């Protein structure tokens, strides 16, 4: 078994340098972050200089920094993307996360490349292809089951390709890279980092006869992903990188969720020690926290493990895309400017500034922001809340209403302070030399450094006291990133060593250890693509292939694809097409699936997978159901005004001859054969 077989990587997000630093401090083995451009989160950009600072901090712990370069690119963007890739390489970045295969056709630095979620990896064939094309780490589709993941692991080589999987955070309802609603309705392409999140809107669901199936429901909005209970099963299926979603998320989220999965993975690693398949973390140090991690404390739409354990009816957050929080109690009385609550947990406390909420009679979430609270009888769980808004304006608020808390001010304040300590274990050995003493440090990764200092021999007045003083002094690591695992003093006599001498010796030895660790750090290797080029699993690519530049066209052509349609963003698909493909099925979630009717007396055979329509204001989309693969297509077309504006933008950006795409299989002469 190689290192890659048993090392587990906790991969945390960062919107900014400060958040990235705290992700490392809270136990991340790797951090992914956007650069100054071409990342699939348009408002989460960072300068190369900030990324270089993050790299320097992370590498002290052998943590890695991955930068997203994962939008699809126009021809005029390939050269700026290439230059940026080299700048990031020079800054010490460990890997680039990419979607556009055109990047594999240009002069890229020798930096490791990872496949973005936007590459839509659902099959063993696609995974094997990307491995053979030179991608060293691939993030699998969130819709996969444990069985699907195991099949991909069986088809790929763990020595050449690491499997990555999202374990927490917001869920895109579409297969990643396969959603074009935003591009069609607003001109903002999700594949270019500008998703308008149409999936979070409320819709009327209407059947073919115009009857309402659902009213103002967020039927495309998913609950949040949470794989806390499935980590061991994911490891057994072959996952080695555990990814937290959230490059738009705040500091508190990254601290809390990183700490949560750090503790879970550490427990799993500890439980597997001594077994047939031991596990280890992929970076250095251990992390302690000033708080108990709790995913319920951060914004979430309630949780689901999605399809990992098979299809479930309860994956949607149909009532609201907002954070409902956790139930805490009930309204017992409504006053003119206050409400009384009785809490379920008598040990719980409310705070000025807390965020409360409740569902009105239409099941819409209503905010109940707290101005101040009074403890009426805390031992009995009775509190009086004075809301910031007028009580009379709080819809359907009455005695017996269940109240949730979705913001705990006390929790927020704890995470605004220093909340973790990450340290690398070191063994100390203090020994004699001919001219004085030597301090040798050996860290948990096997790096060693020594420092010597002259010392005039003088016996301590009390040998035992002096010995303990040496241990205590050397163990004080202060503001360093190290902690003493053991201190060994190997003196022939109980020599007296002044504290000032020990302090200087320790500082010198730590500096040398830091230098030794830095010198030993190795960059991740760039994988070589298999030669001759392996064929792509299909010989035809529709707009779903997201080919947006000549280099990507050459890549797929080189890998045997004969028919290559342009990306949807090229504004050539003006008729009705699938604007979203998803494993989520509205019929199934609303108990209208023909498969659910099987064996049900009086219903079997009556339920058909007929199209449904989604309506939001003037926007209309059609739902079509492909029952064999159990998928749903959201069908629509691009708005005329959006097409016109997008064409103007493309014409303005164009610097090269337009691509020649083929709507049907070309002759050999057209390919120059």
């Amino acid at each position: 078994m190689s290192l890659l077989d048993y090392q587990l990587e906790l991969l945390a997000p960062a919107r900014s340098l400060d958040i990235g630093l705290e992700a490392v401090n809270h136990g991340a083995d790797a951090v992914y972050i956007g650069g100054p451009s071409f990342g699939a989160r348009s408002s989460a950009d960072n300068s190369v200089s900030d990324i270089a600072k993050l790299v320097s901090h992370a590498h002290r712990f052998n943590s890695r920094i991955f930068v997203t370069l994962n939008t699809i690119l126009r021809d005029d963007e390939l050269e700026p993307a290439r230059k940026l890739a080299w700048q990031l390489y020079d800054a010490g970045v460990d890997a680039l996360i990419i979607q556009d295969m055109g990047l594999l056709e240009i002069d890229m630095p020798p930096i490791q490349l990872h496949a973005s979620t936007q590459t839509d990896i659902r099959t063993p064939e696609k995974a094997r292809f990307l491995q053979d094309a030179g991608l060293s780490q691939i993030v699998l589709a969130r819709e996969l089951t444990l069985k699907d993941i195991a099949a991909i692991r069986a088809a790929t080589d763990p020595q050449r390709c690491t499997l990555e999987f999202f374990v927490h955070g917001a869920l895109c309802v579409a297969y990643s890279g396969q959603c074009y609603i935003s591009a069609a309705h607003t001109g903002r392409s999700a594949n270019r980092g500008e998703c308008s999140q149409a999936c979070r809107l409320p819709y009327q669901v209407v059947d073919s006869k115009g009857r309402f199936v659902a009213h103002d429901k967020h039927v495309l909005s998913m609950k949040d992903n949470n794989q806390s209970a499935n980590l061991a099963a994911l490891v057994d299926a072959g996952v080695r990188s555990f990814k937290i979603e959230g490059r738009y998320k705040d500091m508190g989220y990254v601290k809390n969720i990183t700490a949560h999965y750090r503790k879970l993975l550490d427990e799993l690693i500890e439980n597997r020690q001594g077994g047939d398949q031991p596990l280890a973390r992929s970076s250095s140090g251990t992390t302690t926290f000033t708080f108990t991690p709790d995913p319920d404390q951060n914004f979430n739409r309630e949780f689901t493990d999605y399809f990992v354990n098979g299809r479930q009816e309860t994956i949607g957050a149909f009532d609201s895309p907002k954070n409902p929080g956790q139930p805490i109690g009930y309204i017992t009385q409504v006053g003119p400017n206050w409400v009384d609550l009785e809490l379920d947990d008598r040990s719980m406390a409310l705070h000025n500034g807390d965020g409360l909420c409740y569902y009105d009679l239409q099941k819409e979430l209503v905010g109940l922001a707290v101005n101040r609270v009074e403890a009426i009888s805390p031992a009995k769980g009775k509190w009086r809340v004075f809301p910031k808004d007028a009580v009379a304006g709080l819809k359907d608020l009455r005695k017996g209403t269940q109240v949730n808390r979705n913001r705990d001010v006390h929790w927020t304040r704890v995470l605004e302070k220093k909340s973790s300590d990450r340290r690398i274990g070191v063994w100390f050995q203090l020994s004699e030399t001919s001219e004085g003493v030597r301090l040798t440090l050996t860290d948990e990764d096997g790096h060693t450094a020594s420092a010597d200092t002259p010392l005039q021999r003088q016996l301590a007045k009390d040998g035992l006291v002096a010995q303990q003083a040496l241990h205590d002094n050397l163990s004080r690591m202060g503001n360093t990133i190290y902690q003493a695992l053991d201190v060994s003093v190997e003196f022939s006599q109980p020599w007296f060593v002044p504290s000032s001498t020990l302090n200087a010796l320790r500082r010198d030895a730590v500096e040398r250890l830091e230098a030794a660790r830095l010198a030993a750090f190795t960059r991740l290797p760039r994988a070589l693509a298999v030669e001759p080029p392996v064929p792509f699993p299909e010989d035809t690519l529709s707009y779903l292939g997201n080919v947006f530049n000549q280099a990507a066209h050459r890549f797929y052509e080189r890998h045997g694809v004969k028919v290559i349609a342009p990306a949807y963003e090229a504004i050539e698909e003006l008729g009705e097409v699938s604007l979203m493909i998803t494993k989520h099925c509205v019929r199934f979630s609303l108990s209208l699936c023909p498969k659910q009717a099987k064996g049900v007396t009086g219903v079997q055979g009556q339920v058909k997978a007929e199209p449904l329509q989604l309506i939001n204001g003037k926007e209309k989309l059609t739902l079509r159901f492909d029952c064999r693969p159990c998928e749903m297509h959201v069908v629509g077309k691009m708005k005329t005004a959006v097409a016109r504006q997008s064409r103007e933008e493309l014409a303005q950006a164009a610097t090269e001859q337009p691509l020649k795409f083929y709507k049907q299989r070309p002759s050999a002469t057209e390919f120059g054969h």
Side-chain angles (χ1 to χ4, degrees):
M1 184 180 287
S2 74
L3 285 175
L4 291 177
D5 286 325
Y6 67 80
Q7 286 189 338
L8 304 184
E9 174 183 273
L10 176 57
L11 177 54
R15 184 179 66 195
S16 64
L17 167 62
D18 290 343
I19 294 177
L21 294 173
E22 288 304 321
V24 173
N25 293 342
H26 285 71
D29 300 306
V31 174
Y32 67 106
I33 188 170
S37 54
F38 307 124
R41 293 291 183 272
S42 60
S43 58
D45 296 340
N46 295 275
S47 67
V48 174
S49 61
D50 275 356
I51 290 174
K53 294 174 186 175
L54 179 57
V55 166
S56 296
H57 181 66
H59 285 181
R60 297 179 73 193
F61 297 96
N62 284 325
S63 289
R64 304 286 184 172
I65 301 301
F66 307 152
V67 173
T68 57
L69 200 69
N70 61 337
T71 60
I72 58 173
L73 303 166
R74 298 190 310 257
D75 283 295
D76 62 294
E77 293 172 327
L78 286 170
E79 178 58 16
R82 185 193 70 82
K83 289 180 178 178
L84 176 58
W86 278 96
Q87 291 171 355
L88 293 168
Y89 175 75
D90 292 340
V93 168
D94 297 289
L96 299 177
I97 301 172
I98 68 167
Q99 175 189 8
D100 198 314
M101 294 298 113
L103 293 171
L104 297 178
E105 296 291 304
I106 63 177
D107 175 34
M108 291 283 281
I111 190 170
Q112 191 165 104
L113 300 178
H114 296 181
S116 167
T117 181
Q118 301 296 107
T119 56
D120 184 31
I121 305 167
R122 286 180 264 157
T123 66
E125 294 79 13
K126 180 79 170 284
R128 180 61 181 256
F129 170 78
L130 291 172
Q131 168 195 278
D132 291 345
L135 282 298
S136 300
Q137 187 157 309
I138 58 176
V139 59
L140 305 182
R142 296 170 235 220
E143 293 79 4
L144 299 186
T145 65
L146 291 169
K147 184 179 178 181
D148 295 331
I149 296 168
I152 289 176
R153 178 72 290 166
T156 51
D157 183 353
Q159 304 305 311
R160 297 167 56 204
C161 189
T162 299
L163 299 190
E164 179 184 312
F165 194 71
F166 278 101
V167 293
H168 201 93
L171 284 167
C172 293
V173 63
Y175 292 125
S176 289
Q178 305 291 280
C179 185
Y180 309 93
I181 297 177
S182 181
H185 288 179
T186 69
R188 295 164 54 189
S189 166
N191 282 318
R192 289 177 57 77
E194 298 179 327
C195 179
S196 63
Q197 294 200 326
C199 56
R200 301 298 181 188
L201 297 175
Y203 291 96
Q204 315 288 354
V205 184
V206 181
D207 68 13
S208 58
K209 296 180 180 179
R211 295 173 298 192
F212 283 91
V213 176
H215 176 72
D216 272 351
K217 291 296 181 182
H218 304 261
V219 293
L220 297 180
S221 180
M222 298 292 96
K223 293 179 179 177
D224 284 6
N225 186 22
N226 187 333
Q227 302 294 337
S228 298
N230 297 323
L231 296 183
L234 288 168
V235 168
D236 293 338
V239 174
R240 290 297 178 267
S241 178
F242 299 82
K243 189 171 193 174
I244 299 168
E245 179 276 337
R247 282 202 296 123
Y248 278 156
K249 298 295 177 66
D250 61 20
M251 178 80 80
Y253 170 92
V254 173
K255 282 184 172 186
N256 183 32
I257 303 304
T258 302
H260 172 70
Y261 283 95
R262 179 73 276 151
K263 289 174 71 73
L264 291 181
L265 287 176
D266 285 348
E267 289 171 8
L268 179 58
I269 290 168
E270 180 66 26
N271 291 339
R272 295 283 180 98
Q273 295 304 307
D276 294 336
Q277 294 183 319
L279 302 170
R281 61 183 300 176
S282 62
S283 63
S284 307
T286 56
T287 313
T288 55
F289 309 105
T290 64
F291 65 102
T292 301
D294 180 4
D296 285 330
Q297 292 288 351
N298 294 114
F299 179 98
N300 67 81
R301 302 172 182 91
E302 299 184 298
F303 291 120
T304 174
D305 66 1
Y306 216 30
F307 292 92
V308 165
N309 289 302
R311 184 179 291 277
Q312 304 171 52
E313 293 184 21
T314 57
I315 63 175
F318 296 165
D319 291 326
S320 175
K322 301 174 184 177
N323 177 16
Q326 300 299 306
I328 60 168
Y330 293 85
I331 301 288
T332 58
Q333 190 176 357
V334 178
N337 66 337
W338 47 262
V339 295
D340 285 348
L341 294 180
E342 183 172 334
L343 304 184
D344 299 328
D345 181 355
R346 302 296 191 260
S347 65
M348 178 182 289
L350 298 180
H351 317 99
N352 298 341
D354 276 357
L356 306 181
C357 60
Y358 65 95
Y359 285 102
D360 65 18
L361 296 179
Q362 283 72 46
K363 296 213 72 177
E364 286 292 329
L365 202 61
V366 180
L368 181 63
V370 175
N371 181 30
R372 64 184 179 90
V373 298
E374 291 180 1
I376 299 174
S377 178
K380 296 181 180 180
K382 295 183 178 181
W383 294 75
R384 178 159 291 178
V385 172
F386 294 83
K388 289 183 178 179
D389 300 317
V391 170
L394 296 172
K395 185 181 177 184
D396 296 333
L397 186 64
R398 62 189 67 190
K399 182 179 179 180
T401 300
Q402 184 182 61
V403 175
N404 296 359
R405 178 162 64 181
N406 56 12
R407 182 174 184 266
D408 182 341
V409 164
H410 175 71
W411 171 270
T412 301
R413 288 172 180 162
V414 167
L415 290 185
E416 286 173 350
K417 303 172 185 176
K418 177 179 170 60
S419 51
S420 69
D421 192 25
R422 182 171 180 177
R423 291 182 180 261
I424 298 167
V426 176
W427 287 270
F428 285 67
Q429 182 187 55
L430 187 65
S431 58
E432 299 177 19
T433 65
S434 58
E435 297 182 353
V437 293
R438 171 176 297 155
L439 178 60
T440 300
L441 305 183
T442 303
D443 70 21
E444 62 187 54
D445 299 313
H447 305 107
T448 299
S450 297
D452 291 19
T453 189
L455 179 70
Q456 186 174 359
R457 297 280 193 268
Q458 180 181 350
L459 287 173
K461 294 179 180 178
D462 187 322
L464 290 177
V465 171
Q467 182 89 350
Q468 188 61 49
L470 290 174
H471 278 80
D472 294 345
N473 190 304
L474 290 174
S475 298
R476 296 190 198 112
M477 299 306 291
N479 292 326
T480 72
I481 62 169
Y482 302 103
Q483 63 180 350
L485 297 176
D486 184 59
V487 176
S488 171
V489 178
E490 299 180 0
F491 284 176
S492 60
Q493 300 282 343
W495 304 119
F496 170 71
V497 184
S499 294
S500 58
T501 300
L502 275 180
N503 292 339
L505 186 64
R506 185 181 60 244
R507 284 194 300 269
D508 190 12
V510 167
E511 287 177 5
R512 295 186 183 194
L513 180 61
E514 192 89 358
R517 289 181 60 83
L518 181 62
F521 185 86
T522 57
R523 301 191 75 153
L524 298 173
R526 169 76 176 272
L528 296 176
V530 171
E531 291 293 344
V534 296
F536 189 70
E538 302 168 14
D539 69 355
T540 301
L541 278 178
S542 70
Y543 68 95
L544 299 172
N546 299 325
V547 179
F548 202 36
N549 58 69
Q550 293 186 38
H553 190 278
R554 288 196 303 272
F555 172 85
Y556 286 110
E557 190 177 82
R558 194 163 56 82
H559 288 276
V561 183
K562 304 300 182 185
V563 178
I564 306 173
Y568 191 77
E569 290 77 2
I571 323 301
E572 294 196 18
E573 297 285 352
L574 299 179
E576 283 206 337
V577 296
S578 294
L579 295 180
M580 176 195 290
I581 305 175
T582 171
K583 193 74 174 173
H584 163 55
C585 177
V586 168
R587 279 192 168 275
F588 185 85
S589 291
L590 297 179
S591 300
L592 297 172
C593 171
K595 295 179 181 179
Q596 291 169 312
K598 278 188 176 181
V600 180
T601 303
V603 178
Q604 182 171 339
Q606 303 300 310
V607 180
K608 307 292 184 184
E610 296 175 340
L612 298 173
Q613 193 170 55
L614 297 184
I615 302 173
N616 174 268
K618 295 182 180 180
E619 308 288 359
K620 293 184 179 180
L621 296 163
T622 300
L623 302 182
R624 299 190 186 279
F625 303 93
D626 189 352
C627 293
R628 181 166 292 180
C630 218
E631 293 176 344
M632 183 177 74
H633 291 241
V634 183
V635 178
K637 62 181 181 179
M638 184 173 291
K639 291 181 177 179
T640 302
V642 168
R644 185 187 312 115
Q645 180 182 345
S646 298
R647 278 204 180 105
E648 291 172 357
E649 292 172 356
L650 285 175
Q652 185 177 356
T655 58
E656 297 185 25
Q657 185 176 355
L659 281 171
K660 184 175 183 181
F661 289 97
Y662 299 92
K663 291 292 187 181
Q664 60 185 10
R665 190 180 301 277
S667 66
T669 56
E670 286 182 280
F671 271 122
H673 295 159

